[in-house]
Amino acid sequence: MNRDEARVLIKDVLTDVVPGADAASLSPHGSFRDDLEMDSLDFLNFIEALCERTGLALPESDYPALNTLDGCADYVASRTSVK
C-alpha cells in the first residue's frame, strides 16, 4: 500500500468511526483528533478499525505517529504490503 492509498483508507476509517466527519477537509499535518473533536474512545475505535482493515498490530507506543493524516499514512504505508 502506498501513501496515497493509505490516506484514502484512513479517511474512510475516520468517517466510519466519526459519523458525519468531513475527512476531505482534514489538514495533512494537523491533529485529526483535534479537527474531528475525537475523544480517547473515538481514537481507540479508529485504531481498532485501522487494525482490522490493514491487518496491522498497532502498539500503543506508536499511537503518537498516528495522530496526523500524513503521519498515519506514512506509518501504514511503511508497514503494509499491497492488499
Side-chain angles (χ1 to χ4, degrees):
M1 177 177 302
N2 66 38
R3 186 182 199 204
D4 292 332
E5 293 168 332
R7 188 178 287 129
V8 169
L9 173 68
I10 292 159
K11 287 181 177 183
D12 188 48
V13 171
L14 283 169
T15 57
D16 287 347
V17 172
V18 184
D22 183 10
S25 68
L26 294 176
S27 165
H29 305 293
S31 168
F32 58 74
R33 289 183 70 180
D34 292 341
D35 291 346
L36 299 176
E37 299 179 3
M38 295 172 73
D39 60 23
S40 296
L41 185 56
D42 290 333
F43 187 69
L44 290 176
N45 288 336
F46 165 74
I47 296 296
E48 182 179 301
L50 190 60
C51 288
E52 289 174 11
R53 297 277 298 267
T54 61
L56 293 173
L58 303 174
E60 190 173 343
S61 60
D62 290 349
Y63 289 3
L66 306 173
N67 196 37
T68 67
L69 186 57
D70 277 356
C72 193
D74 288 341
Y75 182 95
V76 170
S78 71
R79 287 166 177 78
T80 57
S81 59
V82 177
K83 299 219 182 257

